[in-house]
Amino acid sequence: IHIDGQLIGELKGLKFLIEVTSKTLDTDIKSIKKAARKGVEAELSKRVDEILDKKEITINNQSKIIWKNHPIARLKKGNDYLNPEIDLIADDSLNEDSKVKLIKFLNKWLVSYINEVLGDLIKLTKHQITNQYLRGLVFQLYENNGVIKREQVLDYLKDLKQSERKILRELGVKFGRYHVFLFKLFKPSSVSLRILLWKNYNEKNFDFTPPTFGLNFLEEKKMLNKNLMLLCGFEKFENLYVRIDILERLFLMIFNTKSEDKIKEIKLIPEMLNLLGCNKENFVKLIKKMNYKTYEKNKDLYFKYIPFKKIIKKDNNKNFKDNPFRVLSQLNLK
């Protein structure tokens, strides 16, 4: 934007930014804006029409909607994390009619984009379910962003028939040994959008970034946020993290390993290491944390599942003076 041959500012996206130089410091900024308003207003309306027509917008990892490398709106907290609200990043010179049209368009675009990427999660809330246990499981799965530990929903699972589980399988739900989850939500686009929306809604952990896509196994010295890692599709075993869907594939591989031993022993094979993408040492660490015992035989590594047993300790310090029947011994009955 030039006035009398002097550069006074430029339009970036839908925002007019004044060019502050030694010549403009002593000038009334309000006067500059007022002088430039007519030309800026017409250009801004033209840009809004182009956005609505070509729809060439994206969303970045700072929760901002981008047009031609410049932010035109930002997400803000809505009723829930899947329904954020939109706040325009536009100059005051943008007329009200253009603002209304743009907000309406961006809201429609955002809803469509979220449905396209996270459709499986959203479908859970729209499916009519009469069975209370199935409905409870669906609610828990939705509330936990499509990934939930199996142990947290055992009460729901034990009362579900195979025909009822089939309903959820048709919605994209998998029932694993450790988790119940929507497997399509582990795609890079789905993980990125869920993390972005989660951070926007909870207004924290803005520095958290998902693990590099393509990795199935992570060993971290620093403790990562386990809830966010679960949202990324990774289960935590102390400082080891394993992709949930890969973990289930490992269990299938272990389950299908044939053994003549009554107590099934499994031989470590290269395919297991390749599946996880880890070395032998880390595999042993992981498998031990999942209650497997490892040992060597004929220079090969084997492992067996040892169920965890709860130990009930006897209370040897029980105070017999508190026994309510003790008073009977004090009675002098003749």
Side-chain angles (χ1 to χ4, degrees):
I1 307 293
H2 293 81
I3 294 180
D4 296 332
Q6 180 183 340
L7 176 66
I8 62 168
E10 63 178 318
L11 278 174
K12 290 189 175 182
L14 300 176
K15 199 77 174 172
F16 173 52
L17 303 176
I18 293 176
E19 183 74 16
V20 178
T21 67
S22 57
K23 293 182 179 180
T24 57
L25 286 174
D26 298 325
T27 309
D28 186 354
I29 292 178
K30 290 184 179 179
S31 298
I32 293 177
K33 277 198 166 188
K34 188 175 181 180
R37 182 178 179 85
K38 290 185 179 180
V40 169
E41 183 179 359
E43 176 61 23
L44 288 175
S45 295
K46 180 182 175 182
R47 292 186 176 198
V48 168
D49 290 339
E50 183 180 343
I51 292 169
L52 270 59
D53 179 48
K54 295 185 177 179
K55 303 177 179 62
E56 295 173 343
I57 54 177
T58 57
I59 187 166
N60 68 9
N61 56 12
Q62 277 84 45
S63 301
K64 291 180 180 177
I65 297 174
I66 306 298
W67 175 72
K68 291 189 175 181
N69 298 320
H70 296 294
I72 60 171
R74 65 172 62 86
L75 304 190
K76 60 181 182 179
K77 186 174 181 177
N79 292 329
D80 60 66
Y81 97 109
L82 287 173
N83 291 284
E85 295 183 1
I86 288 177
D87 188 21
L88 286 185
I89 301 175
D91 199 80
D92 294 338
S93 302
L94 183 63
N95 64 60
E96 196 63 30
D97 182 54
S98 292
K99 282 183 181 178
V100 171
K101 286 194 301 183
L102 183 57
I103 290 175
K104 183 178 179 181
F105 165 77
L106 291 178
N107 275 310
K108 185 177 179 181
W109 175 86
L110 185 60
V111 168
S112 176
Y113 179 65
I114 293 174
N115 271 284
E116 178 186 346
V117 180
L118 303 177
D120 281 7
L121 184 59
I122 295 168
K123 285 177 187 174
L124 289 178
T125 62
K126 297 180 179 180
H127 201 79
Q128 296 296 322
I129 297 173
T130 55
N131 182 291
Q132 60 175 333
Y133 298 107
L134 193 60
R135 192 167 61 245
L137 179 58
V138 165
F139 177 77
Q140 288 288 329
L141 196 56
Y142 178 79
E143 285 292 299
N144 287 276
N145 313 306
V147 185
I148 191 166
K149 289 189 176 182
R150 191 183 181 100
E151 63 187 27
Q152 294 178 304
V153 288
L154 284 178
D155 289 341
Y156 297 108
L157 293 174
K158 68 182 182 182
D159 292 303
L160 291 183
K161 299 175 182 177
Q162 285 301 319
S163 58
E164 292 163 340
R165 292 189 181 212
K166 184 181 177 183
I167 295 173
L168 290 190
R169 288 193 181 98
E170 290 173 351
L171 291 173
V173 178
K174 280 199 172 184
F175 297 86
R177 177 168 176 174
Y178 268 91
H179 304 87
V180 179
F181 59 98
L182 287 162
F183 68 94
K184 288 185 180 179
L185 295 187
F186 296 156
K187 294 189 299 183
S189 58
S190 299
V191 170
S192 296
L193 184 57
R194 282 196 301 156
I195 291 294
L196 183 150
L197 294 175
W198 189 95
K199 289 192 289 188
N200 175 72
Y201 181 76
N202 291 280
E203 299 176 329
K204 60 182 181 180
N205 295 106
F206 293 111
D207 58 340
F208 177 86
T209 55
T212 303
F213 296 113
L215 289 178
N216 298 332
F217 183 94
L218 290 172
E219 182 182 19
E220 288 288 340
K221 292 181 180 179
K222 62 178 181 178
M223 298 301 289
L224 301 176
N225 186 305
K226 67 177 183 179
N227 293 325
L228 284 174
M229 288 299 288
L230 193 61
L231 206 61
C232 294
F234 281 81
E235 180 55 271
K236 178 180 181 293
F237 297 89
E238 292 185 11
N239 67 322
L240 304 178
Y241 298 84
V242 187
R243 269 262 304 260
I244 290 168
D245 51 342
I246 298 299
L247 193 62
E248 298 303 335
R249 285 172 60 185
L250 175 63
F251 283 129
L252 281 176
M253 193 179 289
I254 291 172
F255 182 78
N256 292 327
T257 301
K258 295 181 180 180
S259 173
E260 296 177 358
D261 195 345
K262 291 181 180 179
I263 302 175
K264 197 170 187 179
E265 66 172 14
I266 302 100
K267 180 182 176 181
L268 174 61
I269 55 177
E271 287 80 1
M272 294 176 182
L273 300 179
N274 294 336
L275 176 64
L276 292 179
C278 70
N279 58 34
K280 183 177 177 181
E281 182 183 356
N282 279 334
F283 183 89
V284 171
K285 287 180 184 177
L286 174 66
I287 212 75
K288 284 182 177 179
K289 295 179 193 303
M290 294 192 294
N291 298 327
Y292 282 86
K293 178 185 176 182
T294 62
Y295 53 92
E296 285 195 4
K297 188 170 72 172
N298 299 326
K299 296 183 179 181
D300 291 318
L301 184 73
Y302 288 80
F303 52 96
K304 284 183 181 180
Y305 181 65
I306 309 297
F308 178 75
K309 294 182 180 179
K310 290 184 179 180
I311 300 174
I312 302 174
K313 293 183 178 180
K314 292 183 179 181
D315 188 0
N316 295 323
N317 298 318
K318 187 174 180 181
N319 187 354
F320 291 98
K321 292 182 179 180
D322 293 335
N323 190 327
F325 297 104
R326 182 176 175 272
V327 67
L328 296 177
S329 65
Q330 299 174 1
L331 296 177
N332 186 15
L333 300 174
K334 293 183 180 180

